[in-house]
């Protein structure tokens, strides 16, 4: 219990980024925060190999992603208003997420500055985080999609795993069918 709450002296956590390919050639980045790199590597490797994937070497997948800052703007304002303020604040792009509001993408180093400017402009903000956005996507169907979803579930269930980023594209109907 003391180890888990950080009360033990000498305990330190490290950020680790694992790279690999999942079923159907899906590129994946797995961000971990761990006190035991060997355990995390083993767990991630096991998940990949159990569900038709391969853990890759450092740099084998990361080139397929761009590091971005992401700020969510809660619903309410018009797209034009968000777009105008976001671009003025230094954002790269604004995506309309419908009922979920807007997603403002920015250079990772500008994340907090852009968020501050949007907040000062009167927008209600949601999450502010760094993400890895894929530059290309891989369409996954049928059995490969089913196995991929199991791999994602296994990785996300791991306590050390903070985020999983992947470049898959699955039809909404199939995705809904798989999640039920």
């Amino acid at each position: 219990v003391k180890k888990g709450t950080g009360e033990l002296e000498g305990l330190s956590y490290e950020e680790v980024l694992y790279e690999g390919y999942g079923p159907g050639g899906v590129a994946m980045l797995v961000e971990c925060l761990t006190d035991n790199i060997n355990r995390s590597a083993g767990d991630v490797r096991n998940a990949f190999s159990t569900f038709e994937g391969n853990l890759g070497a450092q740099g084998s997948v990361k080139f397929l992603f761009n590091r971005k800052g992401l700020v969510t703007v809660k619903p309410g304002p018009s797209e034009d208003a968000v777009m105008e303020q976001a671009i003025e604040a230094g954002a790269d792009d604004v995506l309309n997420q419908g009922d979920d509001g807007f997603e403002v993408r920015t250079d990772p180093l500008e994340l907090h500055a852009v968020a501050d400017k949007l907040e000062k402009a009167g927008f209600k903000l949601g999450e502010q985080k760094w993400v890895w956005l894929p530059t290309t996507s891989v369409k996954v169907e049928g059995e490969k999609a089913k196995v991929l979803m199991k791999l994602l579930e296994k990785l996300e269930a791991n306590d050390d795993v903070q985020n999983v980023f992947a470049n898959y594209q699955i039809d909404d109907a199939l995705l809904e069918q798989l999640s039920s």
Side-chain angles (χ1 to χ4, degrees), residues 11-76:
L11 185 67
S12 66
Y13 286 90
E14 294 182 58
E15 290 182 26
V16 185
L17 183 67
Y18 296 105
E19 305 176 41
Y21 286 95
V26 172
M28 301 175 74
L29 294 175
V30 181
E31 287 182 334
C32 292
L33 182 64
T34 183
D35 62 339
N36 185 331
I37 290 177
N38 294 328
R39 180 193 65 233
S40 293
D43 290 349
V44 171
R45 183 177 291 108
N46 179 40
F48 271 92
S49 62
T50 301
F51 296 104
E52 301 177 20
N54 296 306
L55 191 60
Q58 191 172 12
S60 63
V61 172
K62 194 168 149 183
F63 72 95
L64 294 169
F65 294 81
N66 287 326
R67 188 73 161 161
K68 291 288 183 182
L70 189 132
V71 179
T72 56
V73 177
K74 294 185 177 180

Coordinates of all heavy atoms in Angstrom, one line a residue, residues 11-76:
L11 N 11.3 5.5 -4.3 CA 10.4 5.1 -5.4 C 10.2 6.2 -6.4 O 9.9 7.3 -6.1 CB 9.0 4.7 -4.8 CG 8.0 4.1 -5.8 CD1 8.4 2.7 -6.3 CD2 6.6 4.0 -5.1
S12 N 10.5 5.8 -7.7 CA 10.3 6.8 -8.7 C 9.6 6.2 -9.9 O 9.7 5.0 -10.2 CB 11.7 7.4 -9.2 OG 12.4 6.3 -9.8
Y13 N 8.8 7.1 -10.6 CA 8.1 6.6 -11.7 C 8.7 7.2 -13.0 O 9.2 8.3 -13.0 CB 6.6 7.1 -11.6 CG 5.8 6.4 -10.6 CD1 5.8 6.8 -9.3 CD2 5.1 5.2 -11.0 CE1 5.0 6.1 -8.3 CE2 4.4 4.5 -10.0 CZ 4.4 4.9 -8.7 OH 3.7 4.2 -7.8
E14 N 8.7 6.4 -14.0 CA 9.2 6.8 -15.3 C 8.2 6.8 -16.4 O 7.3 5.9 -16.4 CB 10.4 5.9 -15.7 CG 11.6 6.0 -14.8 CD 12.7 5.1 -15.3 OE1 13.2 5.3 -16.4 OE2 13.1 4.2 -14.5
E15 N 8.2 7.7 -17.3 CA 7.4 7.7 -18.5 C 8.1 6.9 -19.6 O 9.2 7.0 -19.8 CB 7.1 9.1 -19.0 CG 6.3 9.9 -18.1 CD 6.0 11.3 -18.7 OE1 6.1 11.5 -19.9 OE2 5.8 12.2 -17.9
V16 N 7.3 5.9 -20.2 CA 7.8 5.1 -21.2 C 6.8 5.1 -22.4 O 5.6 5.0 -22.1 CB 8.1 3.6 -20.7 CG1 8.7 2.8 -21.8 CG2 8.9 3.6 -19.4
L17 N 7.4 5.1 -23.6 CA 6.5 5.0 -24.8 C 6.9 3.8 -25.5 O 8.0 3.6 -26.0 CB 6.7 6.3 -25.7 CG 5.9 6.3 -26.9 CD1 4.4 6.6 -26.5 CD2 6.3 7.5 -27.8
Y18 N 5.9 2.8 -25.6 CA 6.1 1.6 -26.3 C 5.5 1.7 -27.7 O 4.4 2.4 -27.9 CB 5.5 0.4 -25.6 CG 6.2 0.1 -24.3 CD1 5.5 0.5 -23.1 CD2 7.4 -0.4 -24.2 CE1 6.2 0.3 -21.9 CE2 8.0 -0.7 -23.0 CZ 7.4 -0.3 -21.8 OH 8.0 -0.5 -20.6
E19 N 6.1 1.2 -28.7 CA 5.6 1.2 -30.1 C 5.4 -0.2 -30.6 O 6.2 -1.1 -30.3 CB 6.6 2.0 -31.0 CG 7.0 3.3 -30.4 CD 8.1 4.0 -31.2 OE1 8.0 4.0 -32.5 OE2 8.9 4.7 -30.6
G20 N 4.4 -0.3 -31.4 CA 4.1 -1.7 -32.0 C 3.1 -1.6 -33.0 O 2.5 -0.6 -33.3
Y21 N 2.8 -2.8 -33.6 CA 1.8 -3.0 -34.6 C 0.8 -4.0 -34.1 O 1.1 -5.1 -33.6 CB 2.4 -3.5 -36.0 CG 3.1 -2.4 -36.7 CD1 4.5 -2.2 -36.5 CD2 2.5 -1.5 -37.5 CE1 5.2 -1.2 -37.2 CE2 3.1 -0.4 -38.1 CZ 4.5 -0.3 -38.0 OH 5.2 0.7 -38.6
G22 N -0.5 -3.6 -34.3 CA -1.6 -4.5 -33.8 C -2.1 -5.3 -35.0 O -1.6 -5.2 -36.1
P23 N -3.2 -6.0 -34.9 CA -3.8 -6.8 -35.9 C -4.2 -5.9 -37.1 O -4.6 -4.7 -37.0 CB -5.1 -7.3 -35.3 CG -5.0 -7.1 -33.9 CD -4.0 -6.1 -33.6
G24 N -4.0 -6.4 -38.3 CA -4.3 -5.6 -39.5 C -3.3 -4.6 -39.9 O -3.5 -3.7 -40.7
G25 N -2.1 -4.6 -39.2 CA -1.1 -3.6 -39.5 C -1.3 -2.2 -38.8 O -0.8 -1.2 -39.3
V26 N -2.1 -2.2 -37.8 CA -2.4 -0.9 -37.1 C -1.2 -0.5 -36.3 O -0.7 -1.2 -35.4 CB -3.7 -1.1 -36.2 CG1 -3.9 0.1 -35.3 CG2 -4.9 -1.4 -37.0
A27 N -0.8 0.7 -36.5 CA 0.3 1.3 -35.7 C -0.2 1.8 -34.4 O -1.2 2.4 -34.3 CB 1.0 2.4 -36.5
M28 N 0.5 1.5 -33.3 CA 0.1 1.8 -32.0 C 1.2 2.4 -31.1 O 2.3 1.9 -31.2 CB -0.5 0.6 -31.3 CG -1.6 -0.1 -32.0 SD -2.2 -1.6 -31.3 CE -3.1 -0.9 -29.9
L29 N 0.9 3.4 -30.4 CA 1.8 4.0 -29.4 C 1.1 3.8 -28.0 O -0.1 4.1 -27.8 CB 2.0 5.5 -29.6 CG 2.7 5.9 -30.9 CD1 2.8 7.4 -31.0 CD2 4.1 5.3 -30.9
V30 N 1.9 3.3 -27.0 CA 1.3 3.0 -25.7 C 2.2 3.8 -24.7 O 3.3 3.5 -24.5 CB 1.4 1.5 -25.4 CG1 0.8 1.2 -24.0 CG2 0.7 0.7 -26.4
E31 N 1.5 4.8 -24.1 CA 2.2 5.6 -23.1 C 2.0 5.0 -21.7 O 0.9 4.7 -21.3 CB 1.6 7.0 -23.0 CG 2.0 7.9 -24.2 CD 1.4 9.3 -24.1 OE1 0.4 9.5 -23.4 OE2 2.0 10.2 -24.7
C32 N 3.1 4.8 -21.0 CA 3.0 4.2 -19.6 C 3.7 5.1 -18.6 O 4.7 5.8 -19.0 CB 3.7 2.8 -19.6 SG 2.9 1.6 -20.6
L33 N 3.3 5.0 -17.4 CA 3.9 5.6 -16.3 C 4.1 4.5 -15.3 O 3.2 3.9 -14.8 CB 3.0 6.7 -15.7 CG 3.6 7.5 -14.5 CD1 4.9 8.3 -14.9 CD2 2.6 8.4 -13.9
T34 N 5.4 4.1 -15.0 CA 5.7 2.9 -14.3 C 6.8 3.1 -13.3 O 7.7 3.9 -13.5 CB 6.0 1.8 -15.2 OG1 6.2 0.6 -14.5 CG2 7.2 2.0 -16.1
D35 N 6.8 2.3 -12.2 CA 7.9 2.2 -11.3 C 8.7 1.0 -11.6 O 9.7 0.7 -10.9 CB 7.3 2.2 -9.9 CG 6.5 0.9 -9.6 OD1 6.0 0.3 -10.5 OD2 6.3 0.6 -8.4
N36 N 8.4 0.2 -12.6 CA 9.1 -1.0 -13.0 C 9.0 -1.2 -14.5 O 8.0 -1.8 -15.0 CB 8.5 -2.2 -12.2 CG 9.3 -3.5 -12.5 OD1 9.9 -3.7 -13.5 ND2 9.3 -4.3 -11.5
I37 N 10.0 -0.7 -15.2 CA 10.0 -0.8 -16.7 C 10.0 -2.2 -17.2 O 9.3 -2.5 -18.2 CB 11.2 -0.1 -17.2 CG1 11.1 1.4 -17.0 CG2 11.4 -0.3 -18.7 CD1 12.3 2.3 -17.5
N38 N 10.6 -3.1 -16.5 CA 10.7 -4.5 -16.9 C 9.3 -5.1 -16.9 O 8.8 -5.9 -17.8 CB 11.6 -5.4 -16.1 CG 13.1 -5.0 -16.4 OD1 13.4 -4.5 -17.4 ND2 13.9 -5.1 -15.3
R39 N 8.5 -4.9 -15.8 CA 7.2 -5.4 -15.7 C 6.3 -4.8 -16.8 O 5.5 -5.5 -17.4 CB 6.6 -5.0 -14.3 CG 5.2 -5.5 -14.1 CD 4.5 -4.9 -12.9 NE 4.3 -3.5 -13.1 CZ 4.6 -2.6 -12.2 NH1 5.2 -2.9 -11.1 NH2 4.4 -1.3 -12.4
S40 N 6.4 -3.5 -17.0 CA 5.5 -2.8 -18.0 C 5.8 -3.4 -19.4 O 4.9 -3.7 -20.1 CB 5.8 -1.3 -18.0 OG 5.3 -0.8 -16.8
A41 N 7.1 -3.5 -19.7 CA 7.5 -4.0 -21.0 C 7.0 -5.4 -21.2 O 6.4 -5.8 -22.3 CB 9.0 -4.0 -21.2
G42 N 7.1 -6.2 -20.2 CA 6.5 -7.6 -20.3 C 5.0 -7.6 -20.5 O 4.5 -8.4 -21.3
D43 N 4.3 -6.8 -19.7 CA 2.9 -6.7 -19.8 C 2.4 -6.3 -21.2 O 1.5 -6.8 -21.8 CB 2.3 -5.8 -18.8 CG 2.4 -6.4 -17.4 OD1 2.7 -7.6 -17.2 OD2 2.1 -5.6 -16.4
V44 N 3.1 -5.2 -21.7 CA 2.7 -4.7 -23.0 C 3.0 -5.7 -24.1 O 2.2 -6.0 -25.0 CB 3.4 -3.3 -23.3 CG1 3.2 -2.8 -24.7 CG2 2.8 -2.3 -22.3
R45 N 4.2 -6.3 -24.0 CA 4.6 -7.3 -25.0 C 3.6 -8.5 -25.0 O 3.2 -9.0 -26.1 CB 6.0 -7.8 -24.7 CG 6.6 -8.8 -25.7 CD 8.0 -9.2 -25.5 NE 8.9 -8.1 -25.7 CZ 9.6 -7.5 -24.7 NH1 9.4 -7.8 -23.5 NH2 10.4 -6.5 -25.1
N46 N 3.2 -8.9 -23.8 CA 2.3 -10.0 -23.7 C 0.9 -9.7 -24.3 O 0.4 -10.5 -25.1 CB 2.1 -10.4 -22.2 CG 1.1 -11.5 -22.0 OD1 1.1 -12.5 -22.8 ND2 0.2 -11.4 -21.0
A47 N 0.5 -8.5 -24.1 CA -0.8 -8.0 -24.7 C -0.7 -8.1 -26.2 O -1.6 -8.6 -26.9 CB -1.2 -6.7 -24.2
F48 N 0.4 -7.5 -26.8 CA 0.6 -7.5 -28.2 C 0.6 -8.9 -28.8 O -0.1 -9.2 -29.8 CB 1.8 -6.7 -28.6 CG 1.6 -5.2 -28.8 CD1 1.8 -4.4 -27.8 CD2 1.3 -4.7 -30.0 CE1 1.6 -3.0 -27.9 CE2 1.1 -3.4 -30.2 CZ 1.3 -2.5 -29.2
S49 N 1.4 -9.8 -28.2 CA 1.6 -11.1 -28.7 C 0.3 -12.0 -28.6 O 0.0 -12.8 -29.4 CB 2.8 -11.8 -28.1 OG 2.6 -12.0 -26.7
T50 N -0.5 -11.7 -27.5 CA -1.7 -12.5 -27.3 C -2.7 -12.1 -28.4 O -3.5 -13.0 -28.8 CB -2.3 -12.2 -25.9 OG1 -1.3 -12.5 -24.9 CG2 -3.6 -12.9 -25.7
F51 N -2.7 -10.9 -28.8 CA -3.8 -10.4 -29.8 C -3.2 -10.0 -31.1 O -3.5 -9.0 -31.7 CB -4.6 -9.3 -29.1 CG -5.3 -9.7 -27.9 CD1 -4.9 -9.3 -26.7 CD2 -6.5 -10.4 -28.0 CE1 -5.6 -9.7 -25.5 CE2 -7.2 -10.9 -26.9 CZ -6.7 -10.5 -25.7
E52 N -2.4 -10.9 -31.7 CA -1.9 -10.8 -33.1 C -1.1 -9.6 -33.4 O -1.1 -9.1 -34.5 CB -3.0 -11.0 -34.1 CG -3.8 -12.3 -33.9 CD -5.0 -12.3 -34.9 OE1 -5.0 -11.6 -35.9 OE2 -5.9 -13.1 -34.6
G53 N -0.4 -9.0 -32.4 CA 0.4 -7.8 -32.6 C 1.9 -8.1 -32.3 O 2.3 -9.2 -31.9
N54 N 2.7 -7.1 -32.6 CA 4.1 -7.2 -32.3 C 4.6 -5.9 -31.7 O 4.3 -4.8 -32.2 CB 4.9 -7.4 -33.6 CG 4.6 -8.7 -34.3 OD1 4.7 -9.7 -33.7 ND2 4.2 -8.6 -35.6
L55 N 5.3 -6.0 -30.6 CA 6.0 -4.8 -30.0 C 7.2 -4.5 -30.8 O 8.0 -5.4 -31.2 CB 6.3 -5.2 -28.5 CG 6.8 -4.0 -27.7 CD1 5.7 -3.0 -27.5 CD2 7.2 -4.5 -26.3
G56 N 7.3 -3.2 -31.2 CA 8.4 -2.8 -32.1 C 9.5 -2.1 -31.3 O 9.4 -1.8 -30.2
A57 N 10.6 -1.9 -32.1 CA 11.7 -1.1 -31.5 C 11.4 0.3 -31.4 O 10.5 0.8 -32.1 CB 13.0 -1.3 -32.4
Q58 N 12.1 1.1 -30.6 CA 11.9 2.5 -30.5 C 12.1 3.2 -31.9 O 13.1 2.9 -32.6 CB 12.9 3.1 -29.5 CG 12.6 4.5 -29.1 CD 13.4 4.9 -27.9 OE1 14.4 4.3 -27.6 NE2 13.1 6.1 -27.3
G59 N 11.1 4.0 -32.3 CA 11.2 4.7 -33.6 C 10.5 3.9 -34.7 O 10.4 4.4 -35.8
S60 N 10.0 2.7 -34.4 CA 9.4 1.9 -35.5 C 8.0 2.3 -35.9 O 7.5 2.0 -37.0 CB 9.4 0.4 -35.1 OG 8.6 0.2 -34.0
V61 N 7.4 3.1 -35.0 CA 6.0 3.5 -35.3 C 5.8 5.0 -35.1 O 5.0 5.6 -35.8 CB 5.0 2.7 -34.3 CG1 3.6 3.2 -34.4 CG2 5.0 1.2 -34.6
K62 N 6.5 5.6 -34.2 CA 6.3 7.0 -33.8 C 6.3 7.9 -35.0 O 5.6 8.9 -35.0 CB 7.4 7.3 -32.8 CG 7.2 8.6 -32.1 CD 8.3 8.6 -31.0 CE 8.7 10.0 -30.6 NZ 9.7 10.0 -29.6
F63 N 7.1 7.6 -36.1 CA 7.1 8.5 -37.3 C 5.8 8.6 -38.0 O 5.6 9.5 -38.8 CB 8.2 8.0 -38.2 CG 7.9 6.7 -39.0 CD1 7.3 6.8 -40.2 CD2 8.1 5.5 -38.4 CE1 7.0 5.6 -40.9 CE2 7.8 4.3 -39.1 CZ 7.2 4.4 -40.3
L64 N 4.8 7.7 -37.7 CA 3.5 7.7 -38.3 C 2.5 8.6 -37.5 O 1.3 8.7 -37.8 CB 2.9 6.3 -38.3 CG 3.7 5.3 -39.3 CD1 3.2 3.9 -39.1 CD2 3.5 5.8 -40.7
F65 N 3.0 9.3 -36.4 CA 2.2 10.1 -35.6 C 2.8 11.5 -35.4 O 4.0 11.6 -35.5 CB 2.0 9.5 -34.2 CG 1.2 8.2 -34.2 CD1 1.8 7.0 -34.5 CD2 -0.1 8.2 -33.8 CE1 1.1 5.8 -34.5 CE2 -0.8 7.0 -33.8 CZ -0.2 5.8 -34.1
N66 N 2.0 12.5 -35.2 CA 2.5 13.8 -34.8 C 2.0 14.2 -33.4 O 0.9 13.9 -33.0 CB 1.8 14.9 -35.8 CG 2.4 14.9 -37.1 OD1 3.6 14.6 -37.3 ND2 1.6 15.1 -38.1
R67 N 2.9 14.7 -32.6 CA 2.6 15.2 -31.3 C 1.9 16.5 -31.3 O 2.4 17.4 -32.0 CB 3.9 15.3 -30.5 CG 3.7 15.5 -29.0 CD 3.2 14.3 -28.3 NE 3.4 14.4 -26.9 CZ 2.8 13.7 -26.0 NH1 2.0 12.7 -26.4 NH2 3.0 13.8 -24.7
K68 N 0.7 16.6 -30.7 CA -0.1 17.8 -30.7 C -0.6 18.1 -29.3 O -0.8 17.2 -28.5 CB -1.3 17.6 -31.7 CG -0.9 17.6 -33.1 CD -0.5 18.9 -33.6 CE -0.2 19.0 -35.1 NZ 0.3 20.3 -35.5
G69 N -1.0 19.3 -29.1 CA -1.7 19.7 -27.9 C -3.2 19.7 -28.3 O -3.6 20.1 -29.4
L70 N -4.1 19.3 -27.4 CA -5.5 19.2 -27.7 C -6.3 19.9 -26.5 O -6.1 19.6 -25.4 CB -5.9 17.8 -27.8 CG -7.3 17.6 -28.3 CD1 -7.3 16.5 -29.5 CD2 -8.2 17.1 -27.2
V71 N -7.1 20.8 -26.9 CA -8.0 21.5 -25.9 C -9.4 21.3 -26.4 O -9.8 21.5 -27.6 CB -7.7 23.0 -25.9 CG1 -8.7 23.7 -24.9 CG2 -6.3 23.3 -25.6
T72 N -10.3 20.8 -25.5 CA -11.7 20.7 -25.9 C -12.5 21.9 -25.4 O -12.3 22.4 -24.3 CB -12.3 19.4 -25.3 OG1 -12.2 19.4 -23.9 CG2 -11.7 18.2 -25.9
V73 N -13.3 22.4 -26.3 CA -14.2 23.6 -25.9 C -15.6 23.0 -25.8 O -16.1 22.3 -26.7 CB -14.1 24.6 -27.0 CG1 -15.1 25.8 -26.7 CG2 -12.7 25.2 -27.2
K74 N -16.2 23.2 -24.7 CA -17.6 22.7 -24.4 C -18.6 23.3 -25.4 O -18.4 24.4 -25.9 CB -18.0 22.9 -23.0 CG -17.1 22.1 -22.1 CD -17.5 22.1 -20.6 CE -16.6 21.3 -19.8 NZ -17.0 21.3 -18.4
P75 N -19.7 22.6 -25.7 CA -20.7 23.1 -26.6 C -21.3 24.4 -26.2 O -21.3 24.7 -25.0 CB -21.8 22.0 -26.7 CG -21.3 20.9 -25.9 CD -20.0 21.3 -25.1
G76 N -21.8 25.2 -27.1 CA -22.4 26.5 -26.8 C -22.1 27.5 -27.9 O -22.9 28.0 -28.6

